[in-house]
Amino acid sequence: GAVVSQHPSWVICKSGTSVKIECRSLDFQATTMFWYRQFPKQSLMLMATSNEGSKATYEQGVEKDKFLINHASLTLSTLTVTSAHPEDSSFYICSAPPRGKKTQYFGPGTRLLVL
Amino acid sequence: QQQVKQSPQSLIVQKGGISIINCAYENTAFDYFPWYQQFPGKGPALLIAIRPDVSEKKEGRFTISFNKSAKQFSLHIMDSQPGDSATYFCAASPARGSGTYKYIFGTGTRLKVLA
């Protein structure tokens, strides 16, 4: 149990385009999901907390107009990287704790390459 | 106060040996301490987690030791195997009353187990 999926696993796009990444909890409901960014050989950097039915909470230094988050249901959160640039290239990972629990289960990650 | 300090940064262990990774925190409001294993290009996977009301928790070859007074916790991997070669992250989460289940991650330890 406690499986989180992400789609797509890989995406290559041109500079200036927008990219949407989906995060789904497959066998549990999650009122909260988290979006992380990870650079090579570094730790996970929390970007934002996605809240079902309300606005996301962004960490300091993360542009909310650049990284749009929508938590459409208790099993789906999306991250849209708007007007992507090469510096947005990274590994994006989502996580979700089952409702009322503290343990976060992570998705497999999405590798974004902006040309 | 929100930091979790992890050491060592990298670790090389012979097959069959014990791998030990340490983490230290300052915020006494943390009440949940998970460890994650991450392989290259994959999302982190939960290994084991502990709460501060116990001093040790064991699951298979993985053991967490927790020292509340010293504000330190460590991961021990017994009988280390080449398949354990991965990056390990400790994390800490504040108590429920804080209104968030955000994790504070350590910087990671790259473990290599030699065959």
Side-chain angles (χ1 to χ4, degrees), chain B residues 14-96:
Chain B
Q14 292 288 337
K15 179 182 177 182
I18 303 173
S19 303
I20 302 174
I21 305 171
N22 302 298
C23 284
Y25 63 98
E26 295 179 359
N27 189 345
T28 56
F30 291 144
D31 76 339
Y32 183 70
F33 304 89
W35 283 90
Y36 286 85
Q37 178 189 59
Q38 186 180 30
F39 293 104
K42 306 293 184 184
L46 177 69
L47 269 179
I48 188 172
I50 197 168
R51 292 190 180 274
D53 53 345
V54 298
S55 60
E56 187 174 281
K57 183 175 181 180
K58 183 176 180 179
E59 289 186 3
R61 295 186 294 111
F62 302 96
T63 300
I64 296 180
S65 296
F66 188 85
N67 186 327
K68 188 174 181 178
S69 60
K71 290 184 282 187
Q72 295 176 348
F73 59 109
S74 60
L75 175 69
H76 295 233
I77 306 175
M78 312 300 286
D79 187 26
S80 299
Q81 299 296 314
D84 297 330
S85 297
T87 300
Y88 293 81
F89 293 99
C90 64
S93 180
R96 289 176 187 270

Side-chain angles (χ1 to χ4, degrees), chain A residues 1 3 11 14 21 37 46 63 65 69 78 91 97-98 115:
Chain A
V3 179
V11 57
K14 292 182 179 180
I21 302 170
R37 184 173 181 178
L46 180 65
E63 300 176 59
D65 294 331
I69 290 171
T78 59
F91 192 49
L115 302 177

Side-chain angles (χ1 to χ4, degrees), chain A residues 60-81:
Chain A
Q60 191 172 9
V62 177
E63 300 176 59
K64 58 183 177 182
D65 294 331
K66 173 77 173 175
F67 299 99
L68 300 179
I69 290 171
N70 182 24
H71 199 137
S73 72
L74 288 172
T75 60
L76 173 64
S77 175
T78 59
L79 168 69
T80 301
V81 183

Side-chain angles (χ1 to χ4, degrees), chain A residues 76-106:
Chain A
L76 173 64
S77 175
T78 59
L79 168 69
T80 301
V81 183
T82 63
S83 186
H85 291 284
E87 57 265 30
D88 299 324
S89 299
S90 192
F91 192 49
Y92 293 88
I93 314 172
C94 70
S95 74
R99 188 163 28 177
K101 304 294 184 182
K102 299 201 76 170
T103 303
Q104 291 186 27
Y105 296 93
F106 284 82

